[in-house]
Amino acid sequence: MQQVNIRRARAEEGSTLTDLSLASKAHWKYPQNYYRLWQQELTITADYINEHTVYVCEKGGGICGYYSLVELEEDLSTAGIVLKAGIWLEHMFVHPETIGEKIGTRMFNHLCGVVEGLGGSIIHLLADPHARLFYEKMGCVYQQEYWSSIPGRTTPYLIFELHNRVTEKRVNV
């Protein structure tokens, strides 16, 4: 088995992360018009990497996943919903070729350690509907549905309380 490494993203990796986001979404065979609507949300720029907490997961010398955290200093009203102040998991994508290899689990456990280091105790996230079960397996608790950027579509809002973390699930990376 190839070694897996998680490290901070570099600014020049933005296009690689954008491509990974789109490849991951494509795994679920969404309608083509969704990608046009998601284009801005899924584009990772050098500025984004420099301004946020972004980590990549490497396997065999290539990037097979990434996640990003955003800290909201105060509640943010956007698209008819209110995002609560705190730490949000904004992106977490795994390359479709590595689904089932525990890459997502490793990244989730890693991000929990990063959030602890930032002094956080709760992680907020709006998940892709197909990823909800994964996050629930990690211990996230479903709260409610929020409207998505796709008209007529909702996305689940979940939270993860670090004090509820099950240490057996933790993977040292």
Side-chain angles (χ1 to χ4, degrees), residues 105 109 164-172:
T105 300
N109 287 323
N164 288 338
R165 189 159 82 167
V166 178
T167 55
E168 304 85 79
K169 287 186 181 176
R170 190 166 190 191
V171 176
N172 292 326

Side-chain angles (χ1 to χ4, degrees), residues 72 74-78 81-86 88 126 146 157:
L72 293 180
E74 55 189 45
D75 290 355
L76 173 67
S77 180
T78 181
I81 63 173
V82 176
L83 303 178
K84 298 177 183 184
W88 285 79
L126 292 171
Y146 279 174
Y157 166 54

Side-chain angles (χ1 to χ4, degrees), residues 98-119:
T98 61
I99 290 174
E101 296 181 21
K102 304 291 184 194
I103 300 298
T105 300
R106 289 173 185 245
M107 288 194 308
F108 190 84
N109 287 323
H110 186 274
L111 75 87
C112 286
V114 170
V115 170
E116 285 175 334
L118 293 170

